[in-house]
Amino acid sequence: MTTTIPAPPVTRTAKKPARLTHRGKNPARRSTPLTIAMLAALAYFLLPLCWLLIASTKSTQDLFNSFGLWFSDAPQLLTNIKETFTQDDGVFVRWLFNTALYAGVSAVGAALLAAAAGYGFAKFRFRGDGAAFNLVLGAVMVPTTALAIPTYLLFAQAGLANTPWAIILPSLVNPFGLYLMRVYAADSVPDSILEAARIDGAGEARIFFRIALRLMAPGVVTVLLFTLVATWNNYFLPLIMLNDPDLYPITVGLASWAAQAQNGGAGASSDMLALVVTGSLISIVPLVVAFLMLQRYWQSGLAAGGVKQ
C-alpha cells in the first residue's frame, strides 16, 4: 500500500505595490521649482521679522555701524525695552492701551455687524436685496484712503474729531467682511435648522445669536482677525483724525518719535531710533498672540466642510 504524502501548502508572499513614477500620479513627487519658490516666499516674509528682532537689540549707533542681519557686540534688548516704556513719562504704555482699545472694539463690532448683515443677505429675501448686495461689492473696490478726507469732514461737523470714536466708528464698516460672511452663512447655516427653530417658537434674534452665530464662528473669527490687524496697523486715519498725543495709537506715536529723532526736536534722545525699532517689535507681539489663540477656530472651520453627512 502506497502512502501519499500531501504536498506542503504553497505560501504566497504579498508583493509590495510598485511605486508610481508616472508624472501626475505619484503623490510623493517633489518639484524643485516649487520648493525654491516656497523658500523665496518664506524668506520674503521672515527676513523683515528677523531684522526687526535683531535691530531691537542694538543702539542707534549700532543700527548704522553693524550688519543688519546680525547682532552687535553689545546687545541691549532689555535696556531698549525699559527705555521704550519709560520714554516721555511712559507715553508708550498709553499708546499701547489706545491701540488695543481701538482695535479690540472695532474688531468685535465689525465682526458682529458683518455676521448679522451677511446672515440677513444669505437667509432673507427682501425687495432690493440684489442691488444692495451689489452696492456692497462695489464698496469693496473703494480704497479707504479715498474716504479719509470725507470721513474727517463728516466727523468734524459732528464734533467727533479728536476722539476715540473717530477711529472706532469708521473701522466698524467692513464691506469685504460682509461679503465673506454672506458667502459663509449661505453654506454653513442649513435652512432646515432655522425652520425647526422657528417651529419651536424661537425668535429671529435668538436664532441668530444661539444658532447661526455659532455655526458661523470660523467666519466671524476670520473677519475679526482681519479687522484687528487692519485697525492695529492703521496709520492714515488716526493721523488726520487725532491731534492729541494722549489719543495716539502706536503707529502715529512711533512716527512722531521717528520725526523727533530725525529733526532733533524737544524730548529727542540719542537712542530715539532704537526705541522706535523696539516699539515696533513690541507692537506686533499682541497680534501674534491673538492669531495663535484664535487659529483653532480656522482649523475647525476647514475640517467642518470636509465631511459629508
Side-chain angles (χ1 to χ4, degrees):
M1 182 177 179
T2 322
T3 304
T4 303
I5 301 175
V10 179
T11 58
R12 297 180 179 272
T13 305
K15 294 183 178 181
K16 187 176 181 180
R19 184 177 180 182
L20 297 176
T21 57
H22 190 270
R23 172 172 291 186
K25 295 184 178 181
N26 183 11
R29 187 172 61 90
R30 297 180 180 178
S31 173
T32 301
L34 183 59
T35 302
I36 295 175
M38 292 301 297
L39 291 176
L42 186 66
Y44 176 81
F45 288 107
L46 291 184
L47 280 179
L49 294 178
C50 292
W51 178 90
L52 184 62
L53 178 60
I54 295 173
S56 299
T57 65
K58 301 179 180 180
S59 63
T60 299
Q61 183 178 3
D62 291 334
L63 286 174
F64 295 97
N65 297 335
S66 61
F67 179 60
L69 293 178
W70 194 247
F71 298 93
S72 62
D73 296 333
Q76 55 177 33
L77 176 61
L78 296 180
T79 302
N80 288 342
I81 294 176
K82 179 181 178 181
E83 292 181 358
T84 300
F85 282 103
T86 57
Q87 180 72 22
D88 294 339
D89 298 327
V91 71
F92 182 81
V93 179
R94 180 67 181 180
W95 294 341
L96 191 63
F97 173 79
N98 293 339
T99 307
L101 176 65
Y102 302 154
V105 176
S106 300
V108 174
L112 290 178
L113 288 177
Y119 171 77
F121 275 114
K123 298 302 177 181
F124 295 94
R125 293 296 173 262
F126 52 90
R127 180 176 299 179
D129 58 345
F133 189 69
N134 289 333
L135 183 63
V136 172
L137 293 180
V140 174
M141 306 304 296
V142 178
T144 55
T145 53
L147 301 175
I149 301 301
T151 303
Y152 170 77
L153 296 176
L154 180 64
F155 277 76
Q157 290 292 330
L160 295 177
N162 199 34
T163 65
W165 295 112
I167 310 302
I168 294 174
L169 291 180
S171 302
L172 296 178
V173 181
N174 191 342
F176 175 75
L178 193 157
Y179 167 75
L180 181 65
M181 292 309 303
R182 193 262 187 188
V183 175
Y184 196 88
D187 294 334
S188 64
V189 183
D191 294 335
S192 57
I193 294 180
L194 302 181
E195 292 298 330
R198 294 187 181 109
I199 292 174
D200 290 340
E204 295 298 335
R206 185 178 182 183
I207 292 174
F208 172 72
F209 286 104
R210 298 294 297 273
I211 299 176
L213 198 59
R214 295 184 179 183
L215 296 174
M216 296 160 57
V220 173
V221 172
T222 302
V223 177
L224 187 146
L225 282 177
F226 282 169
T227 309
L228 181 70
V229 173
T231 309
W232 191 282
N233 295 328
N234 198 351
Y235 171 75
F236 190 60
L237 181 64
L239 179 65
I240 66 174
M241 286 290 188
L242 305 175
N243 53 34
D244 185 0
D246 289 335
L247 296 177
Y248 283 171
I250 289 180
T251 52
V252 181
L254 292 179
S256 66
W257 275 3
Q260 291 180 16
Q262 293 178 358
N263 301 328
S269 63
S270 58
D271 279 342
M272 186 66 79
L273 287 180
L275 303 187
V276 173
V277 175
T278 306
S280 301
L281 176 66
I282 297 173
S283 68
I284 68 173
V285 173
L287 295 180
V288 175
V289 173
F291 179 82
L292 294 178
M293 291 177 60
L294 297 175
Q295 67 173 345
R296 63 188 183 93
Y297 293 98
W298 278 358
Q299 295 173 356
S300 64
L302 293 174
V307 180
K308 297 296 184 181
Q309 299 294 336

